[in-house]
Amino acid sequence: MSRIGKLPIAIPENVEVEVKEQIINITGPHGKLVREISSTISIQLANNFLTLKKRDNSRFTNQLYGLSRTLINNMIIGVSKKFDKTLMLEGVGYRAQIVNKDLVLNLGFSHPVLLLIPDGIEVVLEKNGIIIIRGFDKELVGQFAATIKSKRPPEPYKGKGILFKGEIIKRKVGKSGK
């Protein structure tokens, strides 16, 4: 039994929620998100609270129960506050620039890496080695941050690469000179 799925979701005043059968539309000051929920779960909207109920007690329904509640809660938080991820560039000469709608990364390759910034995502560059990704869709923010990180993941010997803020790289000892 999911303890997360049982919890009601509070809806802030600046967020509108519309439920049509299994499709939920959430509109807020930062954007609009739509998601279809499994037919094994019912959604009730009352008194600025959303509650989810299981229609049967199968294993599949139990797996989706807490997940569905968390996805809906993230949608509400996203359209009201936005999500952000912070990436740090570690390495000599590693740079980031925004040109038109592209993120240009210089990561020690013989060529710059170009990434198209998706709609709904805002990229802010602080100083020279910090990239902040903001957006109202948590899934899209996380995926774009992971795509950037995949271009040069941190390596364990010198610690160079792209890493999330607060991420700790387990360092390895290099060769010993005999």
Side-chain angles (χ1 to χ4, degrees), residues 155-159 170-178:
E155 53 97 12
Y157 295 102
K158 291 185 180 177
K170 207 168 188 184
R171 303 291 293 267
K172 290 184 178 180
V173 179
K175 286 185 177 179
S176 60
K178 285 190 176 183

Side-chain angles (χ1 to χ4, degrees), residues 1-169:
M1 188 68 138
S2 174
R3 293 183 206 161
I4 294 172
K6 290 181 189 176
L7 299 173
I9 303 169
I11 301 169
E13 292 178 13
N14 58 355
V15 176
E16 270 184 47
V17 176
E18 185 181 336
V19 178
K20 287 184 183 172
E21 295 172 17
Q22 295 307 111
I23 297 173
I24 185 164
N25 294 320
I26 299 177
T27 309
H30 296 295
K32 179 180 179 183
L33 293 172
V34 178
R35 184 173 294 272
E36 185 175 355
I37 303 298
S38 173
S39 61
T40 59
I41 296 169
S42 64
I43 306 167
Q44 286 93 30
L45 175 62
N47 304 5
N48 280 347
F49 283 96
L50 267 177
T51 53
L52 276 66
K53 300 283 184 211
K54 296 187 288 184
R55 291 194 171 142
D56 59 36
N57 206 13
S58 68
R59 184 174 182 174
F60 180 68
T61 304
N62 288 336
Q63 291 170 348
L64 290 178
Y65 189 42
L67 172 70
S68 299
R69 190 250 180 223
T70 303
L71 291 174
I72 293 170
N73 191 40
N74 285 341
M75 290 167 64
I76 290 173
I77 292 170
V79 297
S80 62
K81 295 181 186 174
K82 284 194 174 183
F83 290 102
D84 63 341
K85 291 264 187 190
T86 305
L87 295 167
M88 299 185 313
L89 300 174
E90 295 288 331
V92 177
Y94 287 15
R95 253 179 242 119
Q97 303 173 338
I98 297 175
V99 178
N100 298 333
K101 193 74 171 137
D102 290 331
L103 178 65
V104 180
L105 300 170
N106 293 324
L107 302 172
F109 298 123
S110 62
H111 55 83
V113 178
L114 297 170
L115 294 171
L116 179 68
I117 300 171
D119 292 335
I121 295 289
E122 172 190 349
V123 177
V124 178
L125 301 176
E126 283 188 1
K127 299 180 191 168
N128 200 16
I130 298 175
I131 303 169
I132 299 173
I133 303 162
R134 286 195 186 101
F136 58 87
D137 188 354
K138 187 174 187 177
E139 189 176 342
L140 190 60
V141 169
Q143 182 60 53
F144 189 61
T147 302
I148 293 172
K149 184 178 175 178
S150 72
K151 300 304 175 189
R152 182 66 101 171
E155 53 97 12
Y157 295 102
K158 291 185 180 177
K160 294 180 359 177
I162 302 172
L163 52 140
F164 290 113
K165 184 176 183 182
E167 181 181 5
I168 297 170
I169 302 169

